[in-house]
Amino acid sequence: QFLRVTKQYLPHVARLCLISTFLEDGIRMWIQWSEQRDYIDGTWNCGYFLASIFVFLNLFGQLSGCILVLSRNFVQYACFGLFGIIALQTIAYSILWDLKFLMR
């Protein structure tokens, strides 16, 4: 009986669990906007404007991908977009060379 009652909610909970990392990271980027921008500017010496665009693309890409996955609209494209965000962050935050973090 428990499964019968919760059956309609389980797909939504499962999707929320799958995208929770992206949702948390997008919200954290919004809250820590200046810190993220300063980090990218300091690491890549690209200026505040380009660093702000990078942080905005990350924020927008993650939150819009999460919304699309949760609403079940264009899920395949949203997943490709979230994968692109992972690739972009791997390069921008120099995660590619941190084997311990990358394997985690």
Side-chain angles (χ1 to χ4, degrees), residues 19 23-24 27 30 50 57 61 100-102:
I19 57 104
L23 188 62
E24 181 272 331
I27 292 169
W30 188 353
L50 288 177
L57 286 176
K100 183 180 175 183
F101 185 81
L102 189 62

Side-chain angles (χ1 to χ4, degrees), residues 19-100:
I19 57 104
S20 62
T21 299
F22 295 105
L23 188 62
E24 181 272 331
D25 196 35
I27 292 169
R28 187 174 44 80
M29 282 197 171
W30 188 353
I31 293 170
Q32 297 177 342
W33 178 275
S34 60
E35 290 92 347
Q36 295 290 326
R37 182 195 60 214
D38 293 342
Y39 178 79
I40 293 297
D41 181 35
T43 303
W44 293 96
N45 293 323
C46 59
Y48 278 151
F49 181 72
L50 288 177
S52 295
I53 289 175
F54 174 79
V55 174
F56 177 75
L57 286 176
N58 267 316
L59 175 123
F60 181 75
Q62 290 185 80
L63 292 182
S64 63
C66 290
I67 290 169
L68 288 174
V69 168
L70 286 175
S71 67
R72 296 182 178 185
N73 292 321
F74 306 107
V75 174
Q76 188 173 11
Y77 296 116
C79 289
F80 284 135
L82 291 172
F83 182 75
I85 294 292
I86 290 173
L88 186 66
Q89 286 183 351
T90 301
I91 295 167
Y93 290 104
S94 302
I95 298 170
L96 189 59
W97 312 122
D98 186 3
L99 189 61
K100 183 180 175 183

